[in-house]
Amino acid sequence: MAGRTRRAQRRREALLGYLLVAPALVVFAVFVFYPFAKNFQLAFYQDPLFNLPGKRYVGFDQISDVLSSEDFRHSLWTTIAFALLSVPAGILLGLALAVAAHQKLRGIGIYRTIFASTVASSVAVAAVIFGTLFNPVIGWLPWLGIEPQPPFLQNPDWALPAVALVTIWQSIGLSFIVMSAGLQAIPEEVLEAAELDGARPWRRFWRVTVPLLSPTIFFAVVVGSIFAFQAFAQVEMLTKGGPIDRTNVLTYNIFVTLRESQDEGRAAVLSIALFLVTLLLTLFQMRILEKRVHYAS
């Protein structure tokens, strides 16, 4: 009798659990899972946008054509270069600011608020601010008396680093908050023991702080890489993929393919390629970098 009562109670609890998660599952099914599955279907068809009666099944030919094209390879390498420029710099600056703000100084709370403030601004706002700073006439170099300022966003060699700089500034706030949380989780007695053993500040940082902070750094690398591969708004607002496609990252290439060519099949293949590249990069990071992560027991 008691066993039957417990089973009935477990069924009621399970039913309540399903009812609670049902709204979230419906939202995910409509706005995530269905578009994701539809995208795979579109990759096998060629048709002008909104011309469904004329769509033609082409199988893997379209996927092969897109992935072997020079346009895709250029966008992929541009995206990788953009991630290499923006992710390490954003993490290192966030870590440096977190270490500085971790000191017990008077008024340090004000600096922490300033350092974390970039997380509250949108990418569009950051793009407008840096678009003004990069302006050859009213930019930041004329303020320093250096004129004329080079047209960074119009220069093929400087456009991608300039867009990456916007992303670095935008990511510093999140990186700072994550690193600060990691630093506060390190036990003070461990650092004090290292200090009593005669370890100097720089040695304590590399031998004690960085290993104990490695899970946080690993998290920041994975999340920062995913964000970098999804960067779009700053490219659209600052360079529109130019000059001469030097900032034409994969996300912007998908947008242009769908907007200008109205080729949703090709855009679907590009978006699947972006998804697979991001997935492989994340798995690679979790397999290689996680071996160097120290998890305290």
Side-chain angles (χ1 to χ4, degrees):
M1 187 66 178
R4 188 179 303 175
T5 304
R6 282 196 296 272
R7 284 195 295 273
Q9 184 178 0
R10 282 198 294 269
R11 281 197 295 271
R12 285 195 297 271
E13 291 175 350
L15 179 61
L16 177 62
Y18 289 130
L19 289 175
L20 291 175
V21 301
L25 288 178
V26 171
V27 172
F28 274 106
V30 173
F31 295 104
V32 178
F33 299 141
Y34 173 73
F36 188 74
K38 185 68 176 178
N39 204 45
F40 275 90
Q41 182 195 7
L42 291 174
F44 295 96
Y45 287 88
Q46 274 186 340
D47 66 299
L49 191 65
F50 305 128
N51 187 21
L52 293 180
K55 71 178 181 181
R56 182 165 57 93
Y57 178 78
V58 293
F60 286 94
D61 292 345
Q62 180 166 246
I63 298 175
S64 176
D65 290 343
V66 173
L67 298 185
S68 61
S69 65
E70 178 64 28
D71 176 61
F72 168 72
R73 288 198 295 269
H74 174 76
S75 290
L76 178 60
W77 285 117
T78 302
T79 306
I80 293 173
F82 175 77
L84 291 175
L85 285 171
S86 59
V87 177
I91 292 174
L92 289 176
L93 286 173
L95 176 60
L97 293 176
V99 171
H102 195 60
Q103 309 302 315
K104 296 177 181 177
L105 301 175
R106 188 174 182 181
I108 197 66
I110 298 175
Y111 293 104
R112 288 173 179 167
T113 303
I114 294 173
F115 294 157
S117 61
T118 61
V119 77
S121 62
S122 66
V123 180
V125 172
V128 171
I129 294 172
F130 277 86
T132 305
L133 293 177
F134 288 141
N135 188 291
V137 179
I138 57 174
W140 59 282
L141 286 183
W143 297 351
L144 303 176
I146 303 174
E147 294 184 273
Q149 174 173 302
F152 293 107
L153 297 176
Q154 290 76 36
N155 188 311
D157 296 328
W158 283 102
L160 190 63
V163 177
L165 182 61
V166 179
T167 307
I168 292 168
W169 183 85
Q170 175 71 27
S171 65
I172 282 179
L174 178 61
S175 180
F176 168 76
I177 292 173
V178 171
M179 295 298 173
S180 295
L183 287 173
Q184 291 177 4
I186 297 176
E188 287 290 336
E189 54 268 24
V190 176
L191 298 174
E192 291 172 359
E195 186 175 2
L196 290 174
D197 287 341
R200 294 180 178 276
W202 187 248
R203 189 175 180 81
R204 289 202 301 274
F205 176 76
W206 280 112
R207 297 293 185 181
V208 180
T209 302
V210 170
L212 292 177
L213 198 62
S214 56
T216 305
I217 297 174
F218 174 68
F219 170 79
V221 170
V222 173
V223 174
S225 300
I226 294 173
F227 284 165
F229 271 76
Q230 296 176 346
F232 170 76
Q234 54 270 58
V235 177
E236 162 66 9
M237 297 189 68
L238 291 175
T239 62
K240 298 190 182 302
I244 55 174
D245 284 344
R246 290 298 180 91
T247 60
N248 190 19
V249 294
L250 267 174
T251 51
Y252 193 76
N253 196 356
I254 296 169
F255 171 71
V256 171
T257 301
L258 196 59
R259 183 189 62 180
E260 296 183 356
S261 304
Q262 296 191 346
D263 189 344
E264 58 184 3
R266 184 181 178 84
V269 176
L270 289 172
S271 62
I272 292 171
L274 175 61
F275 164 72
L276 292 177
V277 169
T278 307
L279 177 64
L280 291 175
L281 175 65
T282 305
L283 293 176
F284 172 79
Q285 290 173 334
M286 296 189 70
R287 188 172 182 81
I288 302 301
L289 297 182
E290 198 174 24
K291 294 179 179 178
R292 299 182 179 277
V293 174
H294 171 78
Y295 292 103
S297 59

